[in-house]
């Protein structure tokens, strides 16, 4: 999936009012933040941080800011979450609750819903992470999105990133 296809898919997801909010939010997490479905379903509602009009996601450290259209979608989803959660799971801490309070949604179920929406999960995630490591140093992206820095460094090297020789760490030692 190329960069233009990924951005077009993201725009389509943001504009699509007929698809369930849960699927649209998950698609944004894949296409914008390169999150795997297995990690998305383990997110809790507390991983969405709200500070006035700013929204951030606890994907890594520090929390990653959510851009405006995605932030609005996340807030709409959080507001609608109690109404669309099964009665059994009303007190569930999960952002994507499963049928049982103690368990999140099954990753395969979410992956299937994303495929129905026309989102190629692996290709979208790969395209997003490649673009991100081309725009910033791989260790910075790894820390912000919860990836291992060796993974993002390898991806950056494969993508021919201009930051591939960036040496992370404190230079004041």
């Amino acid at each position: 999936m190329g960069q233009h296809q990924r951005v077009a898919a993201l725009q389509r997801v943001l504009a699509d009012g007929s698809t369930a909010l849960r699927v649209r939010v998950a698609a944004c997490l894949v296409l914008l933040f390169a999150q795997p479905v297995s990690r998305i379903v383990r997110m809790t509602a507390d991983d969405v941080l709200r500070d006035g009009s700013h929204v951030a996601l606890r994907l890594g450290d520090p929390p990653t800011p959510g851009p405006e259209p995605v932030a609005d979608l996340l807030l709409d989803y959080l507001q609608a979450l109690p109404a669309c959660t099964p009665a059994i799971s009303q007190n569930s801490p999960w952002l994507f609750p499963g049928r049982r309070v103690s368990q999140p949604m099954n990753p395969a179920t979410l992956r299937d819903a994303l495929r129905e929406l026309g989102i190629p999960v692996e290709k979208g995630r790969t395209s997003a992470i490649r673009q991100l490591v081309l725009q910033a140093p791989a260790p910075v992206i790894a820390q912000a999105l919860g990836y291992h820095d060796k993974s993002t460094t390898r991806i950056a090297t494969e993508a021919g990133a201009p930051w591939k020789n960036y040496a992370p760490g404190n230079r004041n030692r």
Side-chain angles (χ1 to χ4, degrees):
M1 176 178 242
Q3 173 68 356
H4 294 295
Q5 293 170 314
R6 184 178 67 84
V7 170
L10 185 60
Q11 289 172 335
R12 182 175 49 83
V13 165
L14 289 169
D16 181 8
S18 64
T19 302
L21 278 172
R22 152 192 326 228
V23 179
R24 294 171 63 203
V25 167
C28 289
L29 292 171
V30 169
L31 294 170
L32 192 59
F33 300 111
Q35 294 300 297
V37 172
S38 59
R39 192 179 304 163
I40 291 171
V41 297
R42 290 190 319 259
M43 292 178 71
T44 65
D46 292 338
D47 289 330
V48 180
L49 308 171
R50 292 165 273 177
D51 181 21
S53 63
H54 300 285
V55 174
L57 294 166
R58 196 176 301 139
L59 303 172
D61 185 38
T64 304
E68 188 59 38
V70 175
D72 291 342
L73 191 67
L74 271 166
L75 292 177
D76 290 347
Y77 177 63
L78 283 174
Q79 189 172 13
L81 191 57
C84 65
T85 301
I88 300 169
S89 304
Q90 283 293 319
N91 297 321
S92 176
W94 303 108
L95 188 59
F96 297 89
R99 293 185 182 200
R100 294 187 180 150
V101 176
S102 62
Q103 295 184 357
M105 180 182 217
N106 185 314
T109 303
L110 186 57
R111 193 175 294 109
D112 291 345
L114 289 168
R115 280 193 195 120
E116 279 183 32
L117 186 58
I119 304 298
V121 177
E122 290 305 314
K123 289 179 181 180
R125 189 171 71 84
T126 302
S127 177
I129 194 73
R130 286 177 61 92
Q131 186 61 35
L132 289 167
V133 298
L134 288 172
Q135 293 175 345
V140 172
I141 298 301
Q143 188 173 11
L145 299 181
Y147 276 81
H148 193 279
D149 62 285
K150 287 184 180 180
S151 298
T152 55
T153 301
R154 180 184 44 78
I155 294 166
T157 302
E158 290 170 0
W163 294 99
K164 66 183 175 193
N165 296 324
Y166 174 81
N170 186 350
R171 299 284 168 249
N172 297 327
R173 291 190 233 177

